[in-house]
Amino acid sequence: MKALVAGGAGFIGSHLVDALLAEGYEVVCVDNFFIGTRENIRHLEGEPRFTFYEQDLSDFDGTLAIFERERPDHVFHMAANSDIQASAEDPLIEYKNTYSTTFVLLECMRRTGVKKLFFASTSAVYGEQMGAEVGEEAVALKPISYYGGAKLGSEGIISAFTYMNDLQTLVFRFPNVIGPRLTHGVIFDFVKRLKADPSHLRILGDGRQSKPYIYVMDLVEAIVRFREVPVGVTLYNVGVESQTSVTRIGEIVCEKMGLGGIPFEYTGGRGGWKGDVPVFAYDLSRIHTAGWTAKMTSDEAVARTVEQVV
Amino acid sequence: MKALVAGGAGFIGSHLVDALLAEGYEVVCVDNFFIGTRENIRHLEGEPRFTFYEQDLSDFDGTLAIFERERPDHVFHMAANSDIQASAEDPLIEYKNTYSTTFVLLECMRRTGVKKLFFASTSAVYGEQMGAEVGEEAVALKPISYYGGAKLGSEGIISAFTYMNDLQTLVFRFPNVIGPRLTHGVIFDFVKRLKADPSHLRILGDGRQSKPYIYVMDLVEAIVRFREVPVGVTLYNVGVESQTSVTRIGEIVCEKMGLGGIPFEYTGGRGGWKGDVPVFAYDLSRIHTAGWTAKMTSDEAVARTVEQVV
């Protein structure tokens, strides 16, 4: 089996590349280094089952040439802008990197007859409507970030291509993912601020924003485990039941940096920034029933990641 | 008030332009004549409150220049590929004409501070899940056509832009629209076939595909009536409760053409073509409660349109 991993030099994508190689796949990794890095795939130099293309996946002709040359069996679409704060200032980032990459990959699959797809979607498609009762099918989708909007758009066009071309499509909607090779986010921000000035920690919002953080290895294990699905779209919420508040992240960072008694200064307000969903949790019973649960809790994932970053 | 009507030379768009002029608006009409025609707006030559730009709305720079020059108060986004059968052969049509036009218009609104938006969405976002019980909020959205997928994607990114920029957004999801200036579809096909060969009528599927057809004047009246909405997305299903089967359309066409006893030959199967939703109806109670119902039934709309086409 030959897998094409779109965004394979990125944070999650590069871990998926490692996992697919371990499963015996040939892997074609495509990335434009917009967020992904050469560092993330350097350890694969010389691996005979690994091929890399530097290519912007929103460019149709260049991407089609790779499909025609490589003829993959399975596409794992991990390419996207993952920095919601950045695109809040420039929404066209999401148009190009999140939505257009999806449409181009789907059309390349259609033209070259590729039938198997994994798509990395997000809890951000739900917007602010999340709650323990919110399952995959039961809810109107009202994203409040450009990222969530572009991912919902991707799901929409994936639904159409899947129906029209009898694709076998797996879609995971997952929340914040953390772990080795992470590039940005609240853990980074806190470590950076405390290294620059360990006298206090500035925290956006009221600190009670609370989210489930999933460890990247847990997520990648689920992708690999569920990758073969029947014709149609198979959709799972994937995450952890537990959550970690922003204040708790601050405490863990201080603890791991050996900083005791640092005062936390809150900017106030409900959310960290506009487009951020301050509190969420969603129904994971479908994937739990299918036999998968994350190994690490949200707090454990945060603590492990802080150790890597500090 | 100055309205920018995107796709204003198209079938529905040009009727909306007429209605907005009648309401006293200044109207800036933008169209690339992909499906729209000069014929549809010829009667407006010399109208001082009407301005026309020939512009591809998927081109950001050209579209932004129009926004900066005209500074509209209200955008009515009617631009899209409306020919689902055509894009089934070439999905990139939907990427360019249906999705990209939406993203470009939203970003132009954001950059120039336009707050009011109407968006022409579609019952196709529901896919095959429709039924009398299917209301605006209660259903997972699984489009089966590239058109429906691109429209759902548009709704997703509209949700995000509305939240992030405090837009006042009205979205109508409507089914087949017919009436004067219609350009394609089953009524046209039947008239054309019978003019070419009046000995029989070939019908795709089993003829029992059954849909609500709304008359374009009814739809445009609803757009104008509900155009002012509060901050956020206001979403309505808009349509007629009645439906017309494909066989019934054949009967009406034969009757209006004075052709009696023509045999109907069915190609068989449930749907007319892949991506077609063979039977649907949806819950209109929200807009009915708001005080609007269509004046014409589906059969009346079909009969009136056949008279215009024959």
Side-chain angles (χ1 to χ4, degrees):
Chain A
M1 288 285 277
K2 187 186 273 194
L4 185 149
V5 181
F11 163 48
I12 305 172
S14 65
H15 287 289
L16 179 62
V17 167
D18 292 341
L20 290 170
L21 287 168
E23 289 283 320
Y25 279 75
E26 280 183 78
V27 174
V28 178
C29 174
V30 187
D31 207 294
N32 65 347
F33 297 126
F34 177 70
I35 296 183
T37 65
R38 291 191 189 277
E39 202 52 45
N40 284 345
I41 52 171
R42 184 148 297 153
H43 61 287
L44 299 171
E45 273 173 25
E47 163 59 55
R49 287 182 290 113
F50 178 78
T51 312
F52 177 75
Y53 290 89
E54 183 171 348
Q55 171 66 44
D56 178 351
L57 289 159
S58 70
D59 167 47
F60 180 68
D61 293 337
T63 305
L64 183 61
I66 295 172
F67 273 76
E68 285 175 338
R69 177 168 177 173
E70 293 289 347
R71 298 272 159 189
D73 305 294
H74 204 143
V75 170
F76 294 82
H77 178 19
M78 319 300 290
N81 173 58
S82 57
D83 189 345
I84 299 186
Q85 280 181 281
S87 65
E89 304 300 318
D90 182 9
L92 291 173
I93 293 175
E94 299 296 348
Y95 173 67
K96 181 170 181 296
N97 294 294
T98 302
Y99 186 82
S100 298
T101 55
T102 304
F103 211 116
V104 165
L105 284 167
L106 288 165
E107 179 63 2
C108 290
M109 289 177 68
R110 188 181 78 90
R111 298 227 190 159
T112 60
V114 183
K115 295 297 184 188
K116 292 168 195 256
L117 173 66
F118 171 80
F119 177 62
S121 191
T122 169
S123 56
V125 299
Y126 292 116
E128 291 199 286
Q129 303 171 88
M130 309 185 80
E133 78 286 4
V134 174
E136 291 86 346
E137 307 295 338
V139 68
L141 301 166
K142 296 176 179 173
I144 63 169
S145 64
Y146 302 120
Y147 172 75
K151 283 286 190 184
L152 175 55
S154 295
E155 286 196 17
I157 202 67
I158 284 170
S159 170
F161 271 88
T162 297
Y163 177 84
M164 291 294 286
N165 304 288
D166 300 319
L167 304 185
Q168 298 161 252
T169 301
L170 176 64
V171 175
F172 277 7
R173 290 177 181 158
F174 48 79
N176 296 52
V177 184
I178 56 178
R181 306 177 196 162
L182 184 64
T183 56
H184 60 268
V186 61
I187 294 172
F188 270 85
D189 293 344
F190 284 1
V191 171
K192 203 165 129 192
R193 280 178 212 159
L194 286 167
K195 280 184 175 167
D197 177 2
S199 71
H200 70 288
L201 179 61
R202 185 173 150 269
I203 294 181
L204 294 179
D206 63 9
R208 288 184 290 185
Q209 310 96 289
S210 197
K211 301 180 186 181
Y213 291 85
I214 182 172
Y215 200 66
V216 64
M217 304 306 188
D218 271 337
L219 174 62
V220 165
E221 192 249 316
I223 297 172
V224 172
R225 164 122 54 118
F226 288 95
R227 67 189 183 276
E228 294 287 348
V229 290
V231 170
V233 175
T234 300
L235 172 65
Y236 287 111
N237 287 339
V238 181
V240 295
E241 301 255 290
S242 50
Q243 302 181 27
T244 308
S245 71
V246 173
T247 293
R248 180 76 195 118
I249 293 173
E251 290 167 358
I252 295 171
V253 169
C254 287
E255 187 194 312
K256 299 287 180 188
M257 290 179 76
L259 300 168
I262 301 288
F264 290 176
E265 289 170 11
Y266 298 98
T267 62
R270 223 169 119 247
W273 66 88
K274 190 152 188 173
D276 186 35
V277 178
V279 175
F280 71 71
Y282 52 4
D283 184 355
L284 297 169
S285 56
R286 185 186 285 183
I287 197 157
H288 289 173
T289 303
W292 179 90
T293 49
K295 291 191 186 71
M296 261 188 233
T297 65
S298 182
D299 278 10
E300 287 166 357
V302 170
R304 184 78 64 91
T305 303
V306 171
E307 286 166 13
Q308 294 150 6
V309 170
V310 167
Chain B
M1 287 285 275
K2 187 187 272 193
L4 185 150
V5 182
F11 163 48
I12 305 171
S14 65
H15 286 289
L16 179 63
V17 167
D18 292 340
L20 291 170
L21 287 168
E23 289 282 319
Y25 279 76
E26 280 184 78
V27 175
V28 177
C29 175
V30 187
D31 207 294
N32 66 345
F33 298 126
F34 177 69
I35 297 183
T37 66
R38 291 192 189 276
E39 202 52 45
N40 285 344
I41 51 171
R42 184 148 297 152
H43 61 288
L44 299 171
E45 274 173 24
E47 163 60 54
R49 287 182 289 113
F50 178 78
T51 312
F52 177 75
Y53 291 88
E54 184 171 346
Q55 171 66 44
D56 178 351
L57 291 158
S58 70
D59 167 45
F60 179 68
D61 293 337
T63 305
L64 183 61
I66 295 172
F67 273 76
E68 285 174 340
R69 177 169 176 173
E70 294 288 347
R71 297 275 161 185
D73 305 293
H74 204 142
V75 170
F76 294 83
H77 178 18
M78 320 299 291
N81 173 57
S82 57
D83 189 345
I84 299 186
Q85 280 181 282
S87 65
E89 305 300 317
D90 182 8
L92 291 174
I93 293 175
E94 299 296 347
Y95 172 67
K96 181 169 180 296
N97 294 294
T98 302
Y99 186 82
S100 298
T101 55
T102 305
F103 210 117
V104 165
L105 284 168
L106 289 165
E107 178 64 0
C108 290
M109 289 177 68
R110 188 181 77 90
R111 297 227 191 159
T112 60
V114 184
K115 296 296 183 189
K116 293 168 194 256
L117 173 67
F118 170 80
F119 177 62
S121 191
T122 169
S123 55
V125 299
Y126 291 116
E128 292 200 285
Q129 303 171 86
M130 309 185 80
E133 78 285 4
V134 174
E136 290 87 346
E137 307 295 337
V139 66
L141 300 166
K142 296 176 178 172
I144 64 169
S145 65
Y146 303 120
Y147 172 75
K151 283 287 191 184
L152 175 55
S154 295
E155 286 195 18
I157 202 67
I158 284 170
S159 170
F161 271 88
T162 297
Y163 177 85
M164 291 293 286
N165 304 286
D166 300 318
L167 305 185
Q168 298 161 250
T169 301
L170 175 64
V171 175
F172 277 7
R173 291 178 181 158
F174 48 78
N176 295 55
V177 184
I178 56 178
R181 308 177 195 162
L182 185 65
T183 57
H184 60 268
V186 62
I187 293 172
F188 271 85
D189 294 344
F190 284 1
V191 171
K192 202 165 128 191
R193 279 178 213 159
L194 286 167
K195 280 184 174 166
D197 177 2
S199 71
H200 71 287
L201 179 62
R202 185 172 149 269
I203 294 180
L204 294 179
D206 63 9
R208 288 184 290 185
Q209 311 96 290
S210 198
K211 301 179 187 180
Y213 291 85
I214 182 172
Y215 200 64
V216 65
M217 305 305 186
D218 271 336
L219 174 62
V220 164
E221 192 251 315
I223 297 171
V224 172
R225 165 121 54 118
F226 289 94
R227 67 189 183 275
E228 294 288 348
V229 291
V231 169
V233 176
T234 299
L235 172 65
Y236 287 111
N237 288 339
V238 181
V240 294
E241 300 256 288
S242 51
Q243 302 183 24
T244 307
S245 72
V246 173
T247 293
R248 181 74 195 120
I249 293 174
E251 290 167 359
I252 294 171
V253 169
C254 287
E255 187 193 312
K256 300 286 180 189
M257 291 179 76
L259 299 168
I262 302 287
F264 290 176
E265 289 171 11
Y266 297 99
T267 62
R270 227 170 115 246
W273 66 89
K274 190 152 187 174
D276 187 35
V277 178
V279 175
F280 72 70
Y282 52 4
D283 184 354
L284 297 170
S285 57
R286 184 186 285 183
I287 196 158
H288 289 173
T289 302
W292 178 91
T293 49
K295 291 191 185 71
M296 261 189 233
T297 67
S298 183
D299 278 10
E300 286 166 357
V302 169
R304 184 77 66 91
T305 304
V306 171
E307 285 165 14
Q308 294 150 6
V309 170
V310 167

